[in-house]
Structure formats: C-alpha cells, structure tokens
Amino acid sequence: MAKVRVATTWLECCSGCHMSILDLDEKLVDLLSKIEFDASPITDIKEFGEVDVGIVEGSVGNEEQLEVLKKIREKAKILIALGDCACFGGIPAMRNFFNKDEVLKRVYIETESTVNPSKVIPSLDVPKIFPSVKSIDQFVKVDVYIPGCPPDPRAIEYAIKELLEGKIPVLPPELLSYE
Ligand code: SF4
C-alpha cells in the first residue's frame, strides 16, 4: 500500500511545534512505515509536491508566509493547523498591540542585540510584513486543528492515526493539554 504523503511547513513561529512532532520519538519511527515526508523542515525538501496531508506551524505575518501557506494548501488534500500560532495567531500575534512601524523600529533599530549603525529599516530582500498577524484559517481553509503551545505529541499521533483510518480527527479533551 502506498504511503500517505505528508508535507509540513513553519511560518511565523518558534519551531516548537515541529519539536513536538520529533518528540513522538519511537512512535514517529513506527508511523514512518505508513507515512512519508515530502517538503518539510525535517527533510529540508523545499518544494511541495502533491500530498495527502499538509501540516502548518505558525501564523501569518508577512507576504512570504502567506505565499507558502497558499502553496501548501493547494498541494494538500487535508490541511492541519498545528499549534496555537497556526490555530489562533498565538505568541506572534502579540505584535498586534503595536503598529507596524513601531514593530519594525523595535526589531531593526532598538533591540538590545541589534547592530545597525545606519538606523535604516531594510525594505529590499525582506518580505513585507502585514499590519497584523493572523491565524492561518483567516486565509485558507483548515480541515483539522491541533492547538497547544506546543501541542502534545500524543495529540499529533492521535490526529495522524485517525487520518490514516480515513477519519477527520476531533481531539478528545485529555489531548488538549500538554503532559
Ligand atoms: S504554538 Fe507555541 S510552540 Fe508552536 S510555534 Fe507557536 S509559540 Fe512555538
């Protein structure tokens, strides 16, 4: 039987949700008899192929992230929002309390670790940021939500197993908190 093809990506995020995928440990090895990864930070394959499942970590805060989101949505039959950032905006959405110019100034000029003697905010070769950060379902259709910051690896395993059985997973309450 052909393996289920899975692509993953990260947008505005901290990579913690992908760490939760890797935290499946030996269960991930078991799952690899039934699934295979296409484009993903895990495989370092950059271009999405046609896949059965797309998993998105992170919210959308700039043009490049929106482009990546649209690409994975186009290629995936089922799209999973993985983690609070993808599901709700999460930590990156804290910048929504400030206007875009304040955010750029803070990031490119003011932070304690910034070295930018010219005090110029770059406009070339960097994606344009949006006025606010949004959850992915404000741009594309999402089929499955796995919230959590990060999501519990058991929730990820549950969702993948349900999908392998042809079901759209609905997480039971005990998998909605991290243990
Ligand atoms: S949901 Fe939490 S762990 Fe996942 S990317 Fe966002 S901040 Fe990181």
Side-chain angles (χ1 to χ4, degrees):
M1 200 172 109
K3 288 186 178 180
V4 170
R5 294 186 61 75
V6 178
T8 79
T9 192
W10 48 28
L11 306 175
E12 197 136 318
C13 61
C14 76
S15 79
C17 294
H18 271 75
M19 293 303 115
S20 269
I21 296 175
L22 297 179
D23 273 347
L24 284 165
D25 298 327
E26 69 278 5
K27 288 175 185 157
L28 183 57
V29 176
D30 294 341
L31 282 173
L32 286 175
S33 64
K34 295 187 178 133
I35 68 171
E36 63 186 336
F37 284 101
D38 183 83
S40 167
I42 297 168
T43 58
D44 208 24
I45 298 171
K46 309 288 187 200
E47 294 295 324
F48 301 116
E50 301 291 333
V51 293
D52 300 291
V53 180
I55 300 177
V56 179
E57 165 183 342
S59 39
V60 179
N62 69 39
E63 284 177 348
E64 182 187 36
Q65 291 159 354
L66 180 56
E67 198 179 307
V68 172
L69 175 63
K70 284 181 173 168
K71 274 188 196 157
I72 192 169
R73 173 67 279 186
E74 197 183 298
K75 297 287 186 180
K77 291 179 191 148
I78 303 279
L79 193 73
I80 299 178
L82 181 65
D84 282 358
C85 295
C87 292
F88 313 117
I91 299 285
M94 288 174 73
R95 86 155 161 88
N96 296 352
F97 292 107
F98 306 91
N99 75 41
K100 196 173 73 169
D101 293 334
E102 283 177 297
V103 171
L104 289 170
K105 189 169 163 213
R106 175 71 187 143
V107 169
Y108 284 110
I109 297 174
E110 294 178 348
T111 66
E112 291 68 15
S113 58
T114 300
V115 178
N116 180 3
S118 70
K119 310 261 187 246
V120 172
I121 296 172
S123 57
L124 295 175
D125 301 325
V126 288
K128 274 204 185 116
I129 70 167
F130 293 143
S132 61
V133 173
K134 294 179 176 171
S135 58
I136 66 170
D137 63 0
Q138 295 191 57
F139 299 97
V140 298
K141 177 174 175 280
V142 170
D143 303 294
V144 179
Y145 294 84
I146 306 179
C149 183
D152 192 312
R154 293 173 312 143
I156 299 170
E157 181 193 11
Y158 177 88
I160 292 176
K161 285 188 168 169
E162 288 284 282
L163 287 169
L164 287 172
E165 288 181 17
K167 300 184 214 158
I168 293 291
V170 178
L171 296 180
E174 63 271 20
L175 292 182
L176 292 174
S177 62
Y178 196 98
E179 279 184 13

